[in-house]
Amino acid sequence: VWDARGVLRGCGLSVFEFDHLVGASGSFGGFVTGRFASPVVDLEPVGAGVEYAGWLRGVYPGLAKTVLKKERRLGRDVGEVRFVFDERDPAVLETLMGWKSAQYRRTGRMDRFSRGWIVGLVRHLFGVREEHFSGVLSVLYAGERPVAAHFGPRSRAVLAGWFTAYDPELRYYSPGLLMHLRLAEGAARAGVEVVDWGRGAKEYKEWLKTRELWVGEGFVSRGHPVAWGYRLWRRPVRGLRNTVLAHPELRQPADRLLKTVGALRTGAQGRQRPDREPTDTR
């Protein structure tokens, strides 16, 4: 038996904010302020001798024709398409983080990879190779050129969707969708039973999901001025975000606004701090 505030005291924390709490029971359950759907994909094992095209037609017949056509075009224009589920080249991990950082800034989101501790955590998890936990970097190549990549942790049976990004020069080939489909097939071959995409309204999640989990968000805090100040700041931000996500008619205007902010921000950074721009990965 344990107490949530006791855990915070033991960790030296004033406030703990969560947004993917699985289940609403236990010591954190009393601090949940909202529950949200989190799409998951239940994977069927892929038998020996089954090719990707056959798997795709069987599992996602509505997408198969379009996706395979774009993959063939990518192969003709850039190089032979291949997929590596568990890539061990750290240089490609750096490429992924560069792509994702640029995407965050371009779309007006908070750039997670501007925070040193997040970069350090991803690099550390990339090196973890345990029986029940490891960091998995998956990469879609055209020839020797990385086209798209994903990094996330996996247990024996579950792969968590964390960071997916692609080379923006190749966006007309729909590399993000190609990556997610290849990832699902590759994970199934590797013995993964469930891919958990996490909460958030994304079109590809609606296309690929087989069901949804329900996760909670909220705050646990102690009686400390830092905790009160944080909650006063974060609650309105969360409320606005959740309102937009709950109303599809608000999402497009919000995305346009964020992209405008992102364009202004990246333009200013390009003029003032060119060293912040990601390296050309071609």
Side-chain angles (χ1 to χ4, degrees):
V1 178
W2 55 278
D3 171 71
R5 289 195 172 97
V7 170
L8 264 64
R9 280 194 298 274
C11 295
L13 299 174
S14 300
V15 59
F16 173 54
E17 179 181 6
F18 56 87
D19 63 4
H20 275 79
L21 179 69
V22 179
S25 58
S27 293
F28 286 119
F31 301 94
V32 171
T33 58
R35 297 176 71 244
F36 302 88
S38 181
V40 302
V41 182
D42 296 294
L43 301 175
E44 294 289 337
V46 180
V50 177
E51 294 185 354
Y52 171 71
W55 172 86
L56 184 63
R57 291 189 184 101
V59 179
Y60 297 107
L63 289 173
K65 184 177 180 180
T66 300
V67 168
L68 293 173
K69 182 178 179 180
K70 290 195 173 187
E71 279 204 343
R72 288 192 297 268
R73 187 181 302 155
L74 176 63
R76 288 195 305 268
D77 295 347
V78 183
E80 182 181 358
V81 176
R82 60 187 178 92
F83 175 75
V84 180
F85 175 68
D86 191 7
E87 174 63 82
R88 303 311 303 157
D89 184 353
V92 186
L93 180 67
E94 299 302 316
T95 297
L96 168 61
M97 290 193 286
W99 284 341
K100 197 66 180 177
S101 177
Q103 179 191 353
Y104 283 138
R105 287 180 279 126
R106 190 170 59 246
T107 57
R109 269 72 175 181
M110 186 272 285
D111 179 7
R112 287 174 170 82
F113 292 110
S114 67
R115 299 189 174 187
W117 73 267
I118 294 181
V119 173
L121 175 64
V122 170
R123 288 172 177 162
H124 170 72
L125 293 178
F126 176 69
V128 175
R129 313 296 292 173
E130 301 292 342
E131 180 183 359
H132 298 291
F133 183 90
S134 60
V136 178
L137 172 66
S138 301
V139 185
L140 183 69
Y141 289 94
E144 295 304 311
R145 178 177 178 176
V147 173
H150 170 271
F151 180 80
R154 70 161 290 186
S155 65
R156 183 192 62 80
V158 179
L159 173 68
W162 271 18
F163 302 111
T164 302
Y166 56 83
D167 186 339
E169 292 186 6
L170 302 175
R171 61 188 179 277
Y172 297 112
Y173 299 97
S174 301
L177 180 59
L178 301 184
M179 181 69 220
H180 287 117
L181 289 166
R182 284 281 189 173
L183 180 64
E185 189 263 354
R189 287 188 187 276
V192 173
E193 298 171 8
V194 175
V195 177
D196 188 341
W197 295 122
R199 56 176 287 203
K202 298 290 184 182
E203 198 171 34
Y204 75 87
K205 296 181 183 182
E206 293 300 311
W207 287 343
L208 304 183
K209 72 180 182 182
T210 55
R211 60 186 171 93
E212 294 174 335
L213 300 175
W214 286 90
V215 296
E217 73 170 27
F219 298 87
V220 183
S221 60
R222 296 164 55 204
H224 191 282
V226 170
W228 288 111
Y230 185 85
R231 291 184 65 158
L232 284 172
W233 166 59
R234 285 293 294 164
R235 275 187 179 276
V237 173
R238 273 199 166 179
L240 177 60
R241 183 199 66 190
N242 291 336
T243 298
V244 171
L245 293 178
H247 296 83
E249 68 275 11
L250 297 178
R251 292 177 196 162
Q252 278 194 334
D255 273 341
R256 284 197 297 268
L257 176 60
L258 286 172
K259 287 176 181 177
T260 300
V261 172
L264 294 171
R265 185 170 66 182
T266 53
Q269 288 177 345
R271 290 190 298 272
Q272 297 171 11
R273 297 188 301 182
D275 57 303
R276 288 288 303 249
E277 289 299 312
T279 306
D280 187 347
T281 56
R282 288 173 292 173

